[in-house]
């Protein structure tokens, strides 16, 4: 419960200004959010996915940091294992944030998510 609440608080901060998102990125939150994706608790995983989506959606630089730290494979794994509609929606939204922005992300980092996005089209 504590992990979930702390992640939720940081998720909310990451949805604020770029300075706020930058502050949590500088404190190492990206790696912590990715670590939470391995939690046995489905709510913690989902909150970690949401947090990464907020960070990635803030700017191309933060998106690239999230991708370079291996978040795409973890989010794809959660998406492929989950049957919860809320988790699948959060995964789809986060994956879309991994793909957006100018300059565009390195295609080598986002191409592995394409089959999952295709699958979500039929969900």
């Amino acid at each position: 419960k504590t992990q979930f609440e702390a992640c939720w608080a940081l998720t909310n901060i990451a949805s604020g200004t770029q300075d706020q998102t930058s502050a949590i990125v500088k404190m190492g939150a990206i790696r912590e959010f990715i670590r939470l994706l391995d939690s046995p608790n489905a709510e913690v995983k989902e909150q970690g996915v949401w947090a990464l989506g907020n960070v990635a959606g803030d700017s191309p630089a933060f998106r690239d940091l999230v991708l370079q730290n291996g978040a795409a494979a973890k989010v794809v794994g959660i998406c492929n294992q989950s049957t919860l509609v809320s988790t699948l929606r959060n995964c789809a939204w986060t994956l879309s944030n991994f793909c957006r922005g100018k300059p565009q992300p390195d295609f080598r980092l986002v191409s592995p998510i394409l089959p999952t996005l295709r699958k979500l089209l039929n969900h």
Side-chain angles (χ1 to χ4, degrees):
K1 184 77 174 160
T2 305
Q3 276 185 327
F4 173 78
E5 295 295 338
C7 188
W8 191 352
L10 291 170
T11 300
N12 288 333
I13 294 167
S15 71
T17 67
Q18 188 168 27
D19 286 341
Q20 291 168 326
T21 306
S22 181
I24 67 165
V25 168
K26 286 178 183 172
M27 66 171 231
I30 291 173
R31 285 195 177 115
E32 291 302 315
F33 292 149
I34 292 170
R35 185 181 61 78
L36 292 177
L37 301 183
D38 291 324
S39 171
N41 182 308
E43 286 182 325
V44 170
K45 281 184 186 184
E46 184 174 351
Q47 196 62 46
V49 168
W50 194 349
L52 288 165
N54 280 355
V55 172
D58 186 82
S59 71
F62 291 158
R63 175 206 63 208
D64 291 347
L65 281 174
V66 168
L67 289 170
Q68 290 162 1
N69 277 278
K74 295 273 190 178
V75 173
V76 163
I78 290 169
C79 188
N80 289 336
Q81 293 172 358
S82 183
T83 58
L84 296 173
V85 173
S86 64
T87 299
L88 294 174
R89 285 181 182 158
N90 273 327
C91 286
W93 176 78
T94 294
L95 292 172
S96 75
N97 278 353
F98 290 174
C99 297
R100 73 194 254 309
K102 300 265 187 217
Q104 294 179 330
D106 182 339
F107 191 68
R108 291 172 296 170
L109 296 175
V110 295
S111 62
I113 71 174
L114 296 177
T116 300
L117 290 172
R118 182 183 173 279
K119 181 179 110 177
L120 288 169
L121 287 173
N122 298 311
H123 197 273

